[in-house]
Amino acid sequence: MSDRQLAVEFRGVSKLYGALAVLKELSLSVPQGEKIALIGPSGSGKTTVLRILMTLETIQAGTVWVKGEPLWHMPKGDGLAPATETHLHAMRRHIGMVFQHFNLFPHMTVQENVARPPQIVLGVTSGEAEQRAQDLLRLVGLAQKGASYPAQLSGGQKQRVAIARALAMQPAIMLFDEPTSALDPELVEEVLAVLRDIALEGKTTMLLVTHEMSFAREISDRILFLDGGAIVEEGPPDQIFSDPKEERTRLFLKKIIAAGHRID
Amino acid sequence: MIWDWDFALRIIPDILRGLGTTVIATFFGSLLALAVGLVIALANRSDVTAVRRSSRGFAEFIRRTPLLVQLYFIYFVLPQAGVVLPPLLCGVIALGLHTGAYLSEVYRAGIDGVPRGQWEAARALNYQQGQTWLKIILPQAIPPMIPAIGNYIILMFKDSALLSIIAVPELMSMSRNIGNDSYRYLEPLTIAAILYLLLSGIAVLLLRIIESRSGMARLTG
């Protein structure tokens, strides 16, 4: 099996909210280092894919695999048993997430937001954590803001701190849930620039949920178009955007263009 | 009815002793209330339905019945069940339970006031449950609770006058006893009122200082 090279795999995953199926037997696989963009109308289930991977949402059917290990299950005899919190804790080590609404810790400075988690969770020494935080804040262009509190930053700055915070945990897989959707238009580009750097660096597996079509086209290796809790179409960015095979993909892109967004 | 300074000065030491008892009752009542409130608040969030129901029922019962009834219950009814406690302890328990039931709501509001995204960020960063509470949730939940907790404790301080009814020698009962003995109520009751006012006032002032230093300004930017 080539499982070992896969960073993420969904096998027939279903997610239900009561009677409402948010994901319907969804399957996907993401090789290590691949940059994937998930696009689709709201309610299509793309954010749910990320939230399941981050263990923020449970699944009702199927299996999720991260680096060849089951995420929501544990091997038991010949089969699988539901994961314990200990197992989830061990698995989360591989994954980091950047949220639409940043979710920075408001009672900590910018520097503390980035330095404390590796210290508390990974047991990194305080000296190393502070150094790592400074390096990452420089990477996202906020070296001067370490002593500020999140409330003193613009949305774009907050999101860049959130990216630095996620990177500080050095996850192999990074999830970005509409990272620019909550930003004023003039602040979008500064966040995309940081994401571009991370994508170009290459090693990290990226799953990006976005409405920034031209950015998705630019940085991703593959586009997944989701609708109604299933993958309707997937393929290389140029094919999806220039020559979509499915009617629903065409309709969606048409709406996006009509709303004034660029897809080239 | 003329104010008698000599008499007033003579009774002040006794009244101050009463004030000491009032402060002790309020202090230990507050500690108990803070703990009881926390236990109720946590039990109300329990995954076990029976625990949740009984703690909610208990808090509801305490909040919907008068403190005086609870006080009488502990002082007069418990002894019939073989539990005899000294009056001051009865008073502390009644004050602690009563105020604790209200504080559980303050805790709940404070904890619920922390946005869901904070829990999710902590989980995404792989914080364990205890680390999430200590490092992320409580530091944000506690500062907004302080004014309400302070107000409930000040209320308790004034409510502690009810302990005079079960013969706790606190400020109110000392003053009333002086009145009963001397047939002069003006001076002892006036002095008692002034002392209640003074201490409540100081407490409010302290509360404002704590509030301004507790980091609320930082959270709201």
Side-chain angles (χ1 to χ4, degrees), chain A residues 51 54-56 85 89 92-93 99 103-108 117 120-121 149 151 165 169, chain B residues 116-128 131 135-136 139-140 218-221:
Chain A
R51 291 176 58 82
M54 197 64 261
T55 71
L56 299 174
E85 180 52 37
H89 184 73
R92 274 196 292 267
R93 173 73 189 85
F99 297 88
N103 297 345
L104 292 179
F105 301 132
H107 58 297
M108 300 183 193
I120 290 167
V121 177
Y149 282 92
R165 182 177 68 174
M169 301 298 284
Chain B
R116 231 165 70 100
Q118 294 291 307
W119 292 91
E120 294 188 347
R123 195 163 164 85
L125 291 163
N126 218 356
Y127 278 52
Q128 283 169 349
Q131 293 168 334
K135 308 282 185 184
I136 307 298
Q140 295 180 63
R218 226 173 33 210
L219 287 178
T220 52

mmCIF file of all heavy atoms in Angstrom, chain A residues 51 54-56 85 89 92-93 99 103-108 117 120-121 149 151 165 169, chain B residues 116-128 131 135-136 139-140 218-221:
data_model
loop_
_atom_site.group_PDB
_atom_site.id
_atom_site.type_symbol
_atom_site.label_atom_id
_atom_site.label_comp_id
_atom_site.label_asym_id
_atom_site.label_seq_id
_atom_site.Cartn_x
_atom_site.Cartn_y
_atom_site.Cartn_z
ATOM 1 N N ARG A 51 -12.466 20.662 9.995
ATOM 2 C CA ARG A 51 -12.799 20.548 11.421
ATOM 3 C C ARG A 51 -12.757 19.094 11.901
ATOM 4 O O ARG A 51 -12.417 18.829 13.050
ATOM 5 C CB ARG A 51 -14.165 21.193 11.699
ATOM 6 C CG ARG A 51 -14.132 22.729 11.534
ATOM 7 C CD ARG A 51 -15.492 23.373 11.717
ATOM 8 N NE ARG A 51 -16.055 23.079 13.024
ATOM 9 C CZ ARG A 51 -15.743 23.742 14.131
ATOM 10 N NH1 ARG A 51 -14.885 24.727 14.101
ATOM 11 N NH2 ARG A 51 -16.303 23.413 15.278
ATOM 12 N N MET A 54 -9.130 18.376 12.450
ATOM 13 C CA MET A 54 -8.597 19.023 13.653
ATOM 14 C C MET A 54 -9.230 18.431 14.910
ATOM 15 O O MET A 54 -8.953 18.882 16.008
ATOM 16 C CB MET A 54 -8.838 20.529 13.566
ATOM 17 C CG MET A 54 -8.010 21.376 14.508
ATOM 18 S SD MET A 54 -6.225 21.331 14.214
ATOM 19 C CE MET A 54 -5.663 20.152 15.428
ATOM 20 N N THR A 55 -10.078 17.447 14.755
ATOM 21 C CA THR A 55 -10.823 16.777 15.826
ATOM 22 C C THR A 55 -11.762 17.735 16.551
ATOM 23 O O THR A 55 -12.054 17.581 17.733
ATOM 24 C CB THR A 55 -9.897 16.073 16.867
ATOM 25 O OG1 THR A 55 -9.235 17.053 17.648
ATOM 26 C CG2 THR A 55 -8.892 15.164 16.205
ATOM 27 N N LEU A 56 -12.254 18.729 15.814
ATOM 28 C CA LEU A 56 -13.258 19.631 16.390
ATOM 29 C C LEU A 56 -14.667 19.115 16.129
ATOM 30 O O LEU A 56 -15.623 19.566 16.732
ATOM 31 C CB LEU A 56 -13.106 21.038 15.792
ATOM 32 C CG LEU A 56 -11.762 21.716 16.056
ATOM 33 C CD1 LEU A 56 -11.664 23.031 15.290
ATOM 34 C CD2 LEU A 56 -11.535 21.950 17.540
ATOM 35 N N GLU A 85 -9.238 9.962 24.139
ATOM 36 C CA GLU A 85 -8.690 11.319 24.143
ATOM 37 C C GLU A 85 -7.157 11.270 24.034
ATOM 38 O O GLU A 85 -6.539 12.119 23.382
ATOM 39 C CB GLU A 85 -9.146 12.070 25.401
ATOM 40 C CG GLU A 85 -8.648 13.496 25.533
ATOM 41 C CD GLU A 85 -8.915 14.397 24.307
ATOM 42 O OE1 GLU A 85 -9.986 14.255 23.680
ATOM 43 O OE2 GLU A 85 -8.042 15.216 23.984
ATOM 44 N N HIS A 89 -5.058 13.150 21.234
ATOM 45 C CA HIS A 89 -3.999 14.076 21.630
ATOM 46 C C HIS A 89 -2.715 13.760 20.854
ATOM 47 O O HIS A 89 -2.050 14.658 20.334
ATOM 48 C CB HIS A 89 -3.762 13.975 23.139
ATOM 49 C CG HIS A 89 -2.757 14.949 23.658
ATOM 50 N ND1 HIS A 89 -3.028 16.289 23.784
ATOM 51 C CD2 HIS A 89 -1.476 14.780 24.052
ATOM 52 C CE1 HIS A 89 -1.955 16.905 24.255
ATOM 53 N NE2 HIS A 89 -0.987 16.010 24.425
ATOM 54 N N ARG A 92 -3.221 14.784 17.109
ATOM 55 C CA ARG A 92 -3.290 16.229 16.837
ATOM 56 C C ARG A 92 -1.908 16.850 16.678
ATOM 57 O O ARG A 92 -1.768 17.925 16.094
ATOM 58 C CB ARG A 92 -4.053 16.946 17.968
ATOM 59 C CG ARG A 92 -5.551 16.956 17.785
ATOM 60 C CD ARG A 92 -6.205 17.986 18.687
ATOM 61 N NE ARG A 92 -6.097 17.633 20.087
ATOM 62 C CZ ARG A 92 -7.026 16.956 20.769
ATOM 63 N NH1 ARG A 92 -8.137 16.593 20.174
ATOM 64 N NH2 ARG A 92 -6.842 16.662 22.029
ATOM 65 N N ARG A 93 -0.916 16.173 17.188
ATOM 66 C CA ARG A 93 0.464 16.630 17.079
ATOM 67 C C ARG A 93 0.850 16.912 15.620
ATOM 68 O O ARG A 93 1.674 17.769 15.349
ATOM 69 C CB ARG A 93 1.360 15.541 17.708
ATOM 70 C CG ARG A 93 2.836 15.714 17.565
ATOM 71 C CD ARG A 93 3.331 16.823 18.464
ATOM 72 N NE ARG A 93 4.728 17.132 18.174
ATOM 73 C CZ ARG A 93 5.109 17.964 17.222
ATOM 74 N NH1 ARG A 93 4.217 18.551 16.471
ATOM 75 N NH2 ARG A 93 6.380 18.192 17.016
ATOM 76 N N PHE A 99 -7.803 29.683 11.790
ATOM 77 C CA PHE A 99 -9.258 29.847 11.751
ATOM 78 C C PHE A 99 -9.658 31.129 11.012
ATOM 79 O O PHE A 99 -8.904 32.099 10.968
ATOM 80 C CB PHE A 99 -9.814 29.935 13.176
ATOM 81 C CG PHE A 99 -9.601 28.691 13.991
ATOM 82 C CD1 PHE A 99 -8.437 28.508 14.730
ATOM 83 C CD2 PHE A 99 -10.561 27.699 14.031
ATOM 84 C CE1 PHE A 99 -8.244 27.367 15.488
ATOM 85 C CE2 PHE A 99 -10.376 26.553 14.781
ATOM 86 C CZ PHE A 99 -9.218 26.379 15.516
ATOM 87 N N ASN A 103 -9.034 33.567 16.390
ATOM 88 C CA ASN A 103 -9.048 32.918 17.710
ATOM 89 C C ASN A 103 -7.729 33.072 18.454
ATOM 90 O O ASN A 103 -7.264 32.144 19.110
ATOM 91 C CB ASN A 103 -9.395 31.421 17.586
ATOM 92 C CG ASN A 103 -10.788 31.217 17.040
ATOM 93 O OD1 ASN A 103 -11.587 32.146 17.002
ATOM 94 N ND2 ASN A 103 -11.082 30.002 16.618
ATOM 95 N N LEU A 104 -7.136 34.252 18.372
ATOM 96 C CA LEU A 104 -5.949 34.523 19.193
ATOM 97 C C LEU A 104 -6.379 34.589 20.649
ATOM 98 O O LEU A 104 -7.545 34.831 20.952
ATOM 99 C CB LEU A 104 -5.309 35.850 18.773
ATOM 100 C CG LEU A 104 -4.668 35.864 17.390
ATOM 101 C CD1 LEU A 104 -4.097 37.245 17.102
ATOM 102 C CD2 LEU A 104 -3.568 34.811 17.285
ATOM 103 N N PHE A 105 -5.419 34.370 21.567
ATOM 104 C CA PHE A 105 -5.732 34.452 22.986
ATOM 105 C C PHE A 105 -5.595 35.907 23.439
ATOM 106 O O PHE A 105 -4.490 36.452 23.462
ATOM 107 C CB PHE A 105 -4.803 33.536 23.776
ATOM 108 C CG PHE A 105 -4.898 32.097 23.345
ATOM 109 C CD1 PHE A 105 -3.766 31.349 23.092
ATOM 110 C CD2 PHE A 105 -6.142 31.492 23.187
ATOM 111 C CE1 PHE A 105 -3.862 30.012 22.689
ATOM 112 C CE2 PHE A 105 -6.247 30.159 22.782
ATOM 113 C CZ PHE A 105 -5.103 29.426 22.533
ATOM 114 N N PRO A 106 -6.716 36.558 23.785
ATOM 115 C CA PRO A 106 -6.690 38.012 24.001
ATOM 116 C C PRO A 106 -5.950 38.428 25.266
ATOM 117 O O PRO A 106 -5.554 39.585 25.380
ATOM 118 C CB PRO A 106 -8.177 38.378 24.098
ATOM 119 C CG PRO A 106 -8.854 37.117 24.508
ATOM 120 C CD PRO A 106 -8.063 35.993 23.906
ATOM 121 N N HIS A 107 -5.764 37.468 26.204
ATOM 122 C CA HIS A 107 -5.105 37.832 27.465
ATOM 123 C C HIS A 107 -3.602 37.668 27.382
ATOM 124 O O HIS A 107 -2.911 37.887 28.372
ATOM 125 C CB HIS A 107 -5.679 36.985 28.602
ATOM 126 C CG HIS A 107 -5.529 35.498 28.385
ATOM 127 N ND1 HIS A 107 -6.136 34.843 27.339
ATOM 128 C CD2 HIS A 107 -4.836 34.564 29.057
ATOM 129 C CE1 HIS A 107 -5.829 33.555 27.390
ATOM 130 N NE2 HIS A 107 -5.031 33.361 28.420
ATOM 131 N N MET A 108 -3.092 37.282 26.217
ATOM 132 C CA MET A 108 -1.639 37.130 26.056
ATOM 133 C C MET A 108 -1.146 38.116 24.996
ATOM 134 O O MET A 108 -1.878 38.464 24.068
ATOM 135 C CB MET A 108 -1.313 35.721 25.564
ATOM 136 C CG MET A 108 -1.751 34.596 26.464
ATOM 137 S SD MET A 108 -1.167 33.035 25.714
ATOM 138 C CE MET A 108 -2.100 31.871 26.678
ATOM 139 N N PRO A 117 2.255 28.094 23.505
ATOM 140 C CA PRO A 117 1.784 26.742 23.148
ATOM 141 C C PRO A 117 2.902 25.702 23.010
ATOM 142 O O PRO A 117 2.784 24.623 23.593
ATOM 143 C CB PRO A 117 1.020 26.978 21.838
ATOM 144 C CG PRO A 117 0.528 28.376 21.950
ATOM 145 C CD PRO A 117 1.643 29.119 22.639
ATOM 146 N N ILE A 120 4.042 24.900 26.577
ATOM 147 C CA ILE A 120 3.087 24.166 27.405
ATOM 148 C C ILE A 120 2.816 22.776 26.845
ATOM 149 O O ILE A 120 2.748 21.799 27.586
ATOM 150 C CB ILE A 120 1.774 24.970 27.526
ATOM 151 C CG1 ILE A 120 2.022 26.216 28.377
ATOM 152 C CG2 ILE A 120 0.652 24.126 28.100
ATOM 153 C CD1 ILE A 120 0.914 27.227 28.320
ATOM 154 N N VAL A 121 2.671 22.688 25.528
ATOM 155 C CA VAL A 121 2.213 21.434 24.932
ATOM 156 C C VAL A 121 3.376 20.521 24.534
ATOM 157 O O VAL A 121 3.314 19.317 24.729
ATOM 158 C CB VAL A 121 1.314 21.721 23.703
ATOM 159 C CG1 VAL A 121 0.895 20.429 23.034
ATOM 160 C CG2 VAL A 121 0.092 22.528 24.128
ATOM 161 N N TYR A 149 -0.958 43.512 22.359
ATOM 162 C CA TYR A 149 -2.032 42.555 22.592
ATOM 163 C C TYR A 149 -2.874 42.450 21.318
ATOM 164 O O TYR A 149 -2.935 43.407 20.546
ATOM 165 C CB TYR A 149 -2.897 42.989 23.777
ATOM 166 C CG TYR A 149 -2.231 42.674 25.099
ATOM 167 C CD1 TYR A 149 -1.417 43.621 25.724
ATOM 168 C CD2 TYR A 149 -2.379 41.429 25.687
ATOM 169 C CE1 TYR A 149 -0.773 43.326 26.920
ATOM 170 C CE2 TYR A 149 -1.739 41.126 26.867
ATOM 171 C CZ TYR A 149 -0.944 42.068 27.493
ATOM 172 O OH TYR A 149 -0.307 41.761 28.653
ATOM 173 N N ALA A 151 -5.885 42.755 20.672
ATOM 174 C CA ALA A 151 -6.889 43.799 20.478
ATOM 175 C C ALA A 151 -6.299 45.048 19.830
ATOM 176 O O ALA A 151 -7.026 45.889 19.305
ATOM 177 C CB ALA A 151 -7.541 44.162 21.814
ATOM 178 N N ARG A 165 1.460 31.347 15.136
ATOM 179 C CA ARG A 165 1.159 30.493 16.289
ATOM 180 C C ARG A 165 1.010 29.038 15.856
ATOM 181 O O ARG A 165 1.522 28.125 16.511
ATOM 182 C CB ARG A 165 -0.128 30.985 16.967
ATOM 183 C CG ARG A 165 -0.497 30.200 18.200
ATOM 184 C CD ARG A 165 -1.744 30.770 18.863
ATOM 185 N NE ARG A 165 -2.946 30.564 18.041
ATOM 186 C CZ ARG A 165 -4.165 30.854 18.434
ATOM 187 N NH1 ARG A 165 -4.359 31.372 19.648
ATOM 188 N NH2 ARG A 165 -5.200 30.642 17.659
ATOM 189 N N MET A 169 4.025 25.238 16.313
ATOM 190 C CA MET A 169 3.860 23.850 16.758
ATOM 191 C C MET A 169 4.463 22.870 15.750
ATOM 192 O O MET A 169 4.435 21.658 15.962
ATOM 193 C CB MET A 169 2.376 23.525 16.962
ATOM 194 C CG MET A 169 1.666 24.414 17.975
ATOM 195 S SD MET A 169 2.365 24.264 19.621
ATOM 196 C CE MET A 169 1.681 22.681 20.109
ATOM 197 N N ARG B 116 -16.424 30.312 21.906
ATOM 198 C CA ARG B 116 -16.154 28.934 21.515
ATOM 199 C C ARG B 116 -14.820 28.802 20.779
ATOM 200 O O ARG B 116 -14.112 27.815 20.897
ATOM 201 C CB ARG B 116 -17.277 28.456 20.595
ATOM 202 C CG ARG B 116 -17.903 27.156 20.990
ATOM 203 C CD ARG B 116 -19.206 27.008 20.229
ATOM 204 N NE ARG B 116 -18.950 26.776 18.807
ATOM 205 C CZ ARG B 116 -18.995 25.565 18.248
ATOM 206 N NH1 ARG B 116 -19.279 24.517 18.979
ATOM 207 N NH2 ARG B 116 -18.781 25.407 16.970
ATOM 208 N N GLY B 117 -14.498 29.836 20.016
ATOM 209 C CA GLY B 117 -13.253 29.818 19.251
ATOM 210 C C GLY B 117 -12.022 29.651 20.125
ATOM 211 O O GLY B 117 -11.008 29.128 19.676
ATOM 212 N N GLN B 118 -12.111 30.106 21.387
ATOM 213 C CA GLN B 118 -10.972 29.965 22.294
ATOM 214 C C GLN B 118 -10.759 28.499 22.665
ATOM 215 O O GLN B 118 -9.637 28.026 22.742
ATOM 216 C CB GLN B 118 -11.203 30.802 23.558
ATOM 217 C CG GLN B 118 -11.236 32.302 23.287
ATOM 218 C CD GLN B 118 -9.876 32.833 22.881
ATOM 219 O OE1 GLN B 118 -8.894 32.622 23.574
ATOM 220 N NE2 GLN B 118 -9.810 33.505 21.744
ATOM 221 N N TRP B 119 -11.877 27.784 22.890
ATOM 222 C CA TRP B 119 -11.785 26.350 23.163
ATOM 223 C C TRP B 119 -11.206 25.633 21.949
ATOM 224 O O TRP B 119 -10.369 24.738 22.067
ATOM 225 C CB TRP B 119 -13.164 25.767 23.475
ATOM 226 C CG TRP B 119 -13.772 26.231 24.754
ATOM 227 C CD1 TRP B 119 -14.598 27.318 24.923
ATOM 228 C CD2 TRP B 119 -13.619 25.642 26.052
ATOM 229 N NE1 TRP B 119 -14.953 27.424 26.237
ATOM 230 C CE2 TRP B 119 -14.380 26.410 26.952
ATOM 231 C CE3 TRP B 119 -12.924 24.527 26.525
ATOM 232 C CZ2 TRP B 119 -14.461 26.109 28.306
ATOM 233 C CZ3 TRP B 119 -13.003 24.229 27.873
ATOM 234 C CH2 TRP B 119 -13.768 25.019 28.753
ATOM 235 N N GLU B 120 -11.685 26.031 20.775
ATOM 236 C CA GLU B 120 -11.252 25.358 19.548
ATOM 237 C C GLU B 120 -9.779 25.623 19.269
ATOM 238 O O GLU B 120 -9.046 24.726 18.851
ATOM 239 C CB GLU B 120 -12.129 25.805 18.378
ATOM 240 C CG GLU B 120 -13.565 25.337 18.541
ATOM 241 C CD GLU B 120 -14.411 25.599 17.310
ATOM 242 O OE1 GLU B 120 -13.967 26.359 16.422
ATOM 243 O OE2 GLU B 120 -15.522 25.039 17.249
ATOM 244 N N ALA B 121 -9.335 26.875 19.513
ATOM 245 C CA ALA B 121 -7.920 27.190 19.289
ATOM 246 C C ALA B 121 -7.059 26.370 20.249
ATOM 247 O O ALA B 121 -6.017 25.833 19.865
ATOM 248 C CB ALA B 121 -7.678 28.682 19.480
ATOM 249 N N ALA B 122 -7.500 26.254 21.504
ATOM 250 C CA ALA B 122 -6.744 25.478 22.482
ATOM 251 C C ALA B 122 -6.649 24.014 22.047
ATOM 252 O O ALA B 122 -5.600 23.384 22.150
ATOM 253 C CB ALA B 122 -7.391 25.582 23.856
ATOM 254 N N ARG B 123 -7.753 23.512 21.516
ATOM 255 C CA ARG B 123 -7.759 22.121 21.046
ATOM 256 C C ARG B 123 -6.849 21.973 19.829
ATOM 257 O O ARG B 123 -6.078 21.016 19.729
ATOM 258 C CB ARG B 123 -9.197 21.712 20.707
ATOM 259 C CG ARG B 123 -9.419 20.224 20.563
ATOM 260 C CD ARG B 123 -10.913 19.933 20.662
ATOM 261 N NE ARG B 123 -11.249 18.605 20.183
ATOM 262 C CZ ARG B 123 -11.188 17.510 20.934
ATOM 263 N NH1 ARG B 123 -10.799 17.597 22.194
ATOM 264 N NH2 ARG B 123 -11.527 16.341 20.435
ATOM 265 N N ALA B 124 -6.930 22.919 18.927
ATOM 266 C CA ALA B 124 -6.101 22.857 17.721
ATOM 267 C C ALA B 124 -4.616 22.912 18.076
ATOM 268 O O ALA B 124 -3.785 22.358 17.372
ATOM 269 C CB ALA B 124 -6.467 23.987 16.766
ATOM 270 N N LEU B 125 -4.291 23.613 19.171
ATOM 271 C CA LEU B 125 -2.894 23.685 19.604
ATOM 272 C C LEU B 125 -2.541 22.516 20.519
ATOM 273 O O LEU B 125 -1.454 22.461 21.072
ATOM 274 C CB LEU B 125 -2.634 25.023 20.304
ATOM 275 C CG LEU B 125 -2.688 26.229 19.355
ATOM 276 C CD1 LEU B 125 -2.834 27.529 20.140
ATOM 277 C CD2 LEU B 125 -1.459 26.292 18.467
ATOM 278 N N ASN B 126 -3.510 21.611 20.684
ATOM 279 C CA ASN B 126 -3.286 20.365 21.414
ATOM 280 C C ASN B 126 -3.120 20.559 22.919
ATOM 281 O O ASN B 126 -2.439 19.781 23.590
ATOM 282 C CB ASN B 126 -2.074 19.624 20.848
ATOM 283 C CG ASN B 126 -2.295 18.122 20.844
ATOM 284 O OD1 ASN B 126 -3.323 17.633 21.323
ATOM 285 N ND2 ASN B 126 -1.336 17.383 20.323
ATOM 286 N N TYR B 127 -3.725 21.611 23.480
ATOM 287 C CA TYR B 127 -3.764 21.764 24.933
ATOM 288 C C TYR B 127 -4.620 20.645 25.516
ATOM 289 O O TYR B 127 -5.646 20.283 24.933
ATOM 290 C CB TYR B 127 -4.390 23.113 25.330
ATOM 291 C CG TYR B 127 -3.455 24.292 25.275
ATOM 292 C CD1 TYR B 127 -2.712 24.556 24.136
ATOM 293 C CD2 TYR B 127 -3.324 25.146 26.364
ATOM 294 C CE1 TYR B 127 -1.857 25.647 24.088
ATOM 295 C CE2 TYR B 127 -2.470 26.239 26.320
ATOM 296 C CZ TYR B 127 -1.740 26.479 25.175
ATOM 297 O OH TYR B 127 -0.906 27.548 25.134
ATOM 298 N N GLN B 128 -4.198 20.131 26.674
ATOM 299 C CA GLN B 128 -5.044 19.159 27.350
ATOM 300 C C GLN B 128 -6.134 19.906 28.123
ATOM 301 O O GLN B 128 -6.047 21.117 28.318
ATOM 302 C CB GLN B 128 -4.203 18.280 28.277
ATOM 303 C CG GLN B 128 -3.443 17.247 27.455
ATOM 304 C CD GLN B 128 -2.394 16.499 28.231
ATOM 305 O OE1 GLN B 128 -2.069 16.868 29.348
ATOM 306 N NE2 GLN B 128 -1.839 15.469 27.622
ATOM 307 N N GLN B 131 -5.009 22.110 30.992
ATOM 308 C CA GLN B 131 -4.238 23.252 30.493
ATOM 309 C C GLN B 131 -5.161 24.280 29.860
ATOM 310 O O GLN B 131 -4.963 25.488 30.021
ATOM 311 C CB GLN B 131 -3.218 22.767 29.451
ATOM 312 C CG GLN B 131 -2.127 21.878 30.032
ATOM 313 C CD GLN B 131 -1.307 21.187 28.950
ATOM 314 O OE1 GLN B 131 -1.781 20.963 27.833
ATOM 315 N NE2 GLN B 131 -0.064 20.842 29.277
ATOM 316 N N LYS B 135 -4.931 27.861 31.475
ATOM 317 C CA LYS B 135 -4.129 28.827 30.713
ATOM 318 C C LYS B 135 -4.971 29.676 29.772
ATOM 319 O O LYS B 135 -4.553 30.765 29.383
ATOM 320 C CB LYS B 135 -3.067 28.087 29.884
ATOM 321 C CG LYS B 135 -2.209 27.118 30.661
ATOM 322 C CD LYS B 135 -1.141 27.851 31.429
ATOM 323 C CE LYS B 135 -0.215 26.861 32.114
ATOM 324 N NZ LYS B 135 0.779 27.542 32.948
ATOM 325 N N ILE B 136 -6.113 29.149 29.341
ATOM 326 C CA ILE B 136 -6.878 29.852 28.305
ATOM 327 C C ILE B 136 -8.227 30.350 28.824
ATOM 328 O O ILE B 136 -8.551 31.529 28.697
ATOM 329 C CB ILE B 136 -7.119 28.931 27.074
ATOM 330 C CG1 ILE B 136 -5.792 28.344 26.572
ATOM 331 C CG2 ILE B 136 -7.844 29.690 25.967
ATOM 332 C CD1 ILE B 136 -4.775 29.344 26.088
ATOM 333 N N PRO B 139 -8.287 32.485 32.775
ATOM 334 C CA PRO B 139 -7.732 33.847 32.732
ATOM 335 C C PRO B 139 -8.641 34.836 32.003
ATOM 336 O O PRO B 139 -8.572 36.041 32.245
ATOM 337 C CB PRO B 139 -6.411 33.680 31.966
ATOM 338 C CG PRO B 139 -6.040 32.256 32.137
ATOM 339 C CD PRO B 139 -7.341 31.498 32.220
ATOM 340 N N GLN B 140 -9.485 34.319 31.102
ATOM 341 C CA GLN B 140 -10.420 35.214 30.413
ATOM 342 C C GLN B 140 -11.756 35.285 31.119
ATOM 343 O O GLN B 140 -12.461 36.287 31.030
ATOM 344 C CB GLN B 140 -10.656 34.724 28.985
ATOM 345 C CG GLN B 140 -9.417 34.778 28.126
ATOM 346 C CD GLN B 140 -9.699 34.291 26.718
ATOM 347 O OE1 GLN B 140 -10.496 34.884 25.989
ATOM 348 N NE2 GLN B 140 -9.056 33.208 26.321
ATOM 349 N N ARG B 218 -7.273 45.266 29.006
ATOM 350 C CA ARG B 218 -6.490 44.634 27.977
ATOM 351 C C ARG B 218 -7.375 43.778 27.063
ATOM 352 O O ARG B 218 -7.229 43.779 25.857
ATOM 353 C CB ARG B 218 -5.458 43.744 28.645
ATOM 354 C CG ARG B 218 -4.096 43.881 28.080
ATOM 355 C CD ARG B 218 -3.100 43.102 28.887
ATOM 356 N NE ARG B 218 -3.641 41.903 29.446
ATOM 357 C CZ ARG B 218 -3.219 41.375 30.571
ATOM 358 N NH1 ARG B 218 -2.283 41.969 31.265
ATOM 359 N NH2 ARG B 218 -3.737 40.269 31.030
ATOM 360 N N LEU B 219 -8.292 43.038 27.699
ATOM 361 C CA LEU B 219 -9.124 42.118 26.931
ATOM 362 C C LEU B 219 -10.003 42.857 25.945
ATOM 363 O O LEU B 219 -10.214 42.416 24.840
ATOM 364 C CB LEU B 219 -10.002 41.284 27.874
ATOM 365 C CG LEU B 219 -9.288 40.206 28.672
ATOM 366 C CD1 LEU B 219 -10.265 39.515 29.580
ATOM 367 C CD2 LEU B 219 -8.637 39.206 27.740
ATOM 368 N N THR B 220 -10.502 44.004 26.367
ATOM 369 C CA THR B 220 -11.440 44.706 25.496
ATOM 370 C C THR B 220 -10.727 45.729 24.623
ATOM 371 O O THR B 220 -11.329 46.313 23.745
ATOM 372 C CB THR B 220 -12.523 45.418 26.327
ATOM 373 O OG1 THR B 220 -11.860 46.203 27.316
ATOM 374 C CG2 THR B 220 -13.421 44.414 26.998
ATOM 375 N N GLY B 221 -9.450 45.904 24.870
ATOM 376 C CA GLY B 221 -8.663 46.797 24.019
ATOM 377 C C GLY B 221 -9.095 48.229 24.148
ATOM 378 O O GLY B 221 -9.057 48.964 23.194
#
